[in-house]
Amino acid sequence: TTRDEQWNKRYREVWRFAKKNHRGPSRHHIEEHSLLNWMKFNRKSFNQGKMKDERKKKFLKLRALITQFHRVNQYM
């Protein structure tokens, strides 16, 4: 369960970051790289079908949260 606890802790960190900053972690800010790397690793394992089911639901919620902050081109 230690791995699950670590995963959940990092999940909460990224969630709080996204809520506070209205965006996902950026590669342009060095202090955000650990959060970004966590997102990238989990995106890859999700896409490869290697993620546990209980993590899938949470990860999809996190991605939906971050996606809602994406800008939409007003001229399209």
Side-chain angles (χ1 to χ4, degrees), residues 11-58:
Y11 171 82
R12 287 191 302 274
E13 284 178 30
V14 176
W15 184 272
R16 278 195 301 268
F17 177 89
K19 279 287 214 190
K20 181 180 172 215
N21 297 293
H22 299 277
R23 62 179 175 83
S26 168
R27 64 189 172 102
H28 299 292
H29 299 278
I30 291 163
E31 62 276 9
E32 299 170 17
H33 280 191
S34 63
L35 300 178
L36 180 67
N37 288 338
W38 184 87
M39 286 291 296
K40 285 177 5 185
F41 175 83
N42 282 285
R43 188 182 317 119
K44 286 176 187 172
S45 64
F46 178 83
N47 289 339
Q48 292 169 353
K50 295 179 179 176
M51 189 177 275
K52 295 180 186 176
D53 286 340
E54 64 270 12
R55 288 183 183 180
K56 277 183 191 176
K57 287 178 192 163
K58 284 183 158 187

Side-chain angles (χ1 to χ4, degrees), residues 48-73:
Q48 292 169 353
K50 295 179 179 176
M51 189 177 275
K52 295 180 186 176
D53 286 340
E54 64 270 12
R55 288 183 183 180
K56 277 183 191 176
K57 287 178 192 163
K58 284 183 158 187
F59 191 68
L60 285 173
K61 274 176 61 178
L62 179 60
R63 280 183 28 181
L65 173 73
I66 291 171
T67 304
Q68 85 184 16
F69 297 128
H70 288 184
R71 291 168 188 246
V72 177
N73 186 341

